[in-house]
Amino acid sequence: MEMSRDSENRTSSLSRQGSTASSPDGSEPKAANRSKANIRVSLACVQCRSKHVKCDATLPACNRCQQEDKPCFYAKSRRGIRDPKKRSLISDKPPMTSSASFLPTSNFSSPPSVHSLQDLPSGWTVNSMSSTDASPKNETELLLDLFYSYFHPSYPCLPPKRFFCNHVKANPNSYDFLLSVINFCGSLYANQIPSDDLREAAYSAACGSLPFTVQSVQGLLVLSIAAFGEMKFEHHTGWANRAVSIAVELGMNQKAFADGTSDSVLAESYRRTWWCLTFQDSTRNLCDIGSTLTIADVDSDVDLPCEEWEYESGIIPQPISQSQYETQVNLGHTDFSSMAYLIDICKIQTDLVLPYNEAPDNKKAELFERADARICDWLRRVPKWKMNLVDPDGVVDVVLYHGIAIAHVNRLRLRQSAPRSGLNIREYFPLGPAKGPDRKGQVVKGFGWNSHPIDIQAANGYCDLFRHPFPTKTLRAVFATGTLRVALAYLDACVFLGLDSPVFRERINRLVQILTAHGETWALSRKIAEDIKVVAKEYLTPRISRSWRPGVSEPEAWGAVSSSLLHETPNLAPNFGFEPYQPVCQVGGWTLNDTWSANLTDIYQA
């Protein structure tokens, strides 16, 4: 699969010079301690996996480790042994030695653990973060905990916390700017700690002189993301451009840069930093946020990142190159990391979706078909066990969640008109949906088939992700931009396409509530939630009566849709995004209570 952008019509505005640089080496990586609850074993022990040699997976220790007199342990994975008797033989903890430990000797504390549930409106449950350990001893520890608990899962470019703490302790002066950014971002998740002074400190440092180091790139990247979420778009553009410029000057776009350090965890962090820069660059271009530089024009041969659990353990496997990924994809292989899949869908977004709206009319049909086919192929290739998103221990794969969300949102972008790009839905909603080749609806009249247009199916697939319980705070700062596209699809269905339905109205309502919850941290989500409510109140009239129930005759324009959605339908189409509806109305985990008709109209009435 092609992994580099076609830049025939674009001119490069960046220097392509590269150099290798290395940071101070950290402690020798070891595997992290993990809970033994619901352990599943990978196909090879950690020792054999790290050496890329065949492992016979003998329990409790493989033959190779026994012959070499080395400790044998297995890392937790979603695949592997299900038999509880065999699981009891597994050691997922590396032997502890007296000479080293993962935990730094500083006062940094471990992140809070997830163990309680909190209800959001309409029964949507998410995990709330609370600590079973001792509370952090000071404000700095708390801010670091909050950053790694909420911000880091969606942008995992910094080293895992315990390795990061070791590097800070070894060379604190190199991390002054990055720590100021971490403190500010952590404060956004803490109501008891004011953010104003920390924001000013981080902003002042970012506008001043910075050394040409990876830590400066990471600090500028994280701060630009936070500025985007706070709707400070000029700051976002300036810092993102500066981060890209420094990264290219350092040579981070070259494989040799990461390979030049002897610390495998740092090397993985360098690779992830480069790819996170590409993610953010693609997002701001799609949202019409000004950019004088674009990372897509930079030649890059950076290797692909590993799985998140491998990164956290500190035992980094040999990375695969972009060309190896393309070759293996063409051969039908699917065993790739979540970050590799996220990179792939972002490449499709940059290479095909972004140029679509800018293409001349005689090229649109071809670009549309190529982009849509590539997205569908990506969704097909992601293994089913990864699509589950939640492992047996309840840990959510946030990285792949964002990849799947991007895939569904890009199918929507292809079908929504170019003049309705950007973030101001109040201004462009009256323009109506697109026409032409991208308005082809897939309407199949047959038993068991989904009669909805593809854009509604894509919106349903996006909403289907919210059945998984995880904190809204861990969603990306730019999460609202994709959710806006989904709400727009449902508003179009109700206002312009003759598909008005109480279920679609309910989904708009729930998306607004999720955005509002996310808006407690990010102003962008709060603003988009308010804009969607204004549009809904203006264009959707509250015409659903309290006496309406499935089976009661409604206008013929959407009678067929409402009956297929709201009746108990055991043979619902397999490609429909939500579970078949039960006698009580339940939409993919968003329970509609007995007074649902009142809930439906609460964002449509002044």
Side-chain angles (χ1 to χ4, degrees):
M1 178 169 290
E2 182 176 311
M3 291 291 293
S4 61
R5 180 173 182 178
D6 178 7
S7 56
E8 290 180 354
N9 300 323
R10 307 182 69 177
T11 58
S12 173
S13 58
L14 297 174
S15 167
R16 289 177 170 79
Q17 75 176 59
S19 62
T20 60
S22 61
S23 295
D25 290 342
S27 59
E28 202 64 29
K30 297 181 178 67
N33 294 343
R34 295 184 178 91
S35 169
K36 287 191 176 183
N38 296 325
I39 293 172
R40 298 175 118 184
V41 178
S42 57
L43 300 180
C45 73
V46 172
Q47 295 282 7
C48 293
R49 179 185 287 267
S50 63
K51 296 178 181 178
H52 298 278
V53 296
K54 186 175 181 180
C55 179
D56 58 17
T58 302
L59 298 174
C62 72
N63 290 329
R64 185 182 296 274
C65 289
Q66 292 181 37
Q67 292 173 4
E68 297 179 2
D69 194 25
K70 292 185 177 180
C72 185
F73 57 96
Y74 294 81
K76 180 175 59 178
S77 174
R78 296 184 190 178
R79 298 171 296 168
I81 297 175
R82 298 174 180 266
D83 188 345
K85 293 182 179 180
K86 292 184 178 180
R87 281 206 307 268
S88 64
L89 299 174
I90 298 166
S91 171
D92 69 328
K93 296 183 178 181
M96 299 300 294
T97 64
S98 58
S99 61
S101 170
F102 282 130
L103 297 177
T105 57
S106 66
N107 289 332
F108 289 118
S109 63
S110 58
S113 59
V114 180
H115 74 283
S116 61
L117 291 177
Q118 174 185 349
D119 288 335
L120 281 183
S122 191
W124 191 63
T125 58
V126 298
N127 291 314
S128 62
M129 309 294 289
S130 57
S131 178
T132 57
D133 300 323
S135 299
K137 297 181 177 63
N138 55 53
E139 183 177 290
T140 302
E141 293 180 27
L142 174 62
L143 295 175
L144 184 69
D145 285 349
L146 291 170
F147 175 85
Y148 269 93
S149 297
Y150 294 118
F151 192 97
H152 182 75
S154 288
Y155 302 95
C157 59
L158 301 187
K161 183 183 173 185
R162 58 185 172 277
F163 298 103
F164 179 79
C165 293
N166 285 337
H167 290 299
V168 172
K169 181 184 175 184
N171 191 5
N173 293 335
S174 299
Y175 289 85
D176 285 344
F177 169 58
L178 180 54
L179 284 174
S180 71
V181 174
I182 289 175
N183 289 340
F184 161 57
C185 291
S187 71
L188 296 175
Y189 302 98
N191 296 329
Q192 69 273 28
I193 300 178
S195 299
D196 293 342
D197 291 343
L198 296 172
R199 180 186 293 106
E200 183 178 354
Y203 279 26
S204 297
C207 293
S209 176
L210 292 174
F212 271 45
T213 63
V214 175
Q215 290 76 29
S216 294
V217 174
Q218 292 171 334
L220 289 168
L221 169 62
V222 171
L223 194 59
S224 70
I225 293 168
F228 192 104
E230 291 197 310
M231 299 183 64
K232 301 180 185 297
F233 297 125
E234 290 184 0
H235 292 80
H236 162 79
T237 300
W239 292 327
N241 289 342
R242 191 178 183 189
V244 171
S245 296
I246 295 177
V248 173
E249 289 294 325
L250 290 172
M252 293 183 69
N253 58 308
Q254 298 176 2
K255 169 184 169 65
F257 181 83
D259 292 347
T261 178
S262 60
D263 189 314
S264 61
V265 175
L266 281 181
E268 178 70 10
S269 175
Y270 297 166
R271 288 189 286 268
R272 287 166 173 260
T273 300
W274 175 257
W275 289 119
C276 284
L277 283 170
T278 66
F279 300 157
Q280 192 62 18
D281 181 76
S282 179
T283 299
R284 63 175 172 159
N285 285 328
L286 278 174
C287 296
D288 291 341
I289 304 300
S291 172
T292 57
L293 303 176
T294 174
I295 204 170
D297 288 332
V298 180
D299 294 331
S300 171
D301 62 351
V302 177
D303 290 335
L304 303 181
C306 62
E307 288 283 18
E308 299 309 299
W309 67 267
E310 293 172 322
Y311 191 35
E312 289 293 329
S313 74
I315 300 179
I316 311 299
Q318 183 69 27
I320 67 170
S321 67
Q322 299 178 44
S323 59
Q324 288 174 324
Y325 175 89
E326 296 166 7
T327 300
Q328 293 182 31
V329 165
N330 291 333
L331 293 175
H333 297 170
T334 60
D335 189 16
F336 305 111
S337 69
S338 296
M339 280 284 281
Y341 278 112
L342 178 59
I343 290 166
D344 196 2
I345 192 63
C346 285
K347 292 275 185 189
I348 296 171
Q349 174 177 273
T350 301
D351 295 348
L352 298 174
V353 178
L354 182 59
Y356 171 73
N357 286 331
E358 304 169 359
D361 290 342
N362 62 337
K363 297 288 186 180
K364 277 187 176 292
E366 178 185 355
L367 270 175
F368 178 88
E369 295 298 335
R370 286 181 59 202
D372 201 48
R374 288 278 297 278
I375 296 171
C376 291
D377 179 66
W378 185 92
L379 288 167
R380 177 190 59 79
R381 287 191 290 105
V382 178
K384 289 184 178 180
W385 66 270
K386 270 187 170 291
M387 279 289 195
N388 291 334
L389 291 181
V390 182
D391 71 11
D393 291 332
V395 178
V396 178
D397 189 342
V398 179
V399 171
L400 188 61
Y401 161 83
H402 288 299
I404 298 172
I406 289 171
H408 291 306
V409 168
N410 279 326
R411 295 199 80 195
L412 289 173
R413 289 185 187 277
L414 291 170
R415 291 164 171 81
Q416 293 172 351
S417 62
R420 298 170 99 197
S421 60
L423 302 176
N424 193 352
I425 188 175
R426 296 194 201 186
E427 180 179 296
Y428 58 63
F429 181 75
L431 298 176
K435 301 182 184 299
D438 49 349
R439 260 281 28 103
K440 291 178 181 178
Q442 180 176 313
V443 180
V444 182
K445 295 183 178 179
F447 181 76
W449 285 86
N450 191 340
S451 61
H452 290 129
I454 295 177
D455 44 0
I456 295 299
Q457 296 178 41
N460 290 341
Y462 182 94
C463 291
D464 195 41
L465 295 172
F466 291 105
R467 292 185 301 169
H468 302 292
F470 56 91
T472 53
K473 288 183 177 181
T474 60
L475 296 175
R476 291 186 172 192
V478 299
F479 154 77
T481 61
T483 308
L484 173 63
R485 297 288 116 196
V486 178
L488 181 61
Y490 287 130
L491 286 167
D492 281 344
C494 294
V495 176
F496 296 107
L497 304 182
L499 299 175
D500 196 355
S501 162
V503 172
F504 291 168
R505 292 182 176 224
E506 178 67 12
R507 290 174 186 171
I508 296 169
N509 199 352
R510 299 313 170 214
L511 289 172
V512 167
Q513 292 178 358
I514 293 168
L515 283 168
T516 302
H518 194 246
E520 294 177 2
T521 304
W522 302 110
L524 179 60
S525 295
R526 188 163 60 250
K527 175 65 165 56
I528 289 178
E530 290 298 322
D531 287 348
I532 294 173
K533 285 197 290 186
V534 169
V535 171
K537 289 176 182 177
E538 182 175 357
Y539 291 92
L540 291 178
T541 57
R543 54 182 177 173
I544 309 299
S545 66
R546 288 185 60 86
S547 61
W548 193 91
R549 286 294 183 272
V552 177
S553 177
E554 289 290 333
E556 187 175 354
W558 57 276
V561 175
S562 62
S563 108
S564 65
L565 285 174
L566 298 175
H567 281 170
E568 184 178 3
T569 311
N571 293 310
L572 201 62
N575 60 342
F576 192 75
F578 293 83
E579 297 290 349
Y581 301 109
Q582 304 302 319
V584 293
C585 298
Q586 183 171 1
V587 183
W590 299 347
T591 304
L592 315 186
N593 58 37
D594 194 43
T595 59
W596 63 274
S597 54
N599 291 335
L600 284 177
T601 61
D602 61 2
I603 68 169
Y604 310 123
Q605 301 183 40

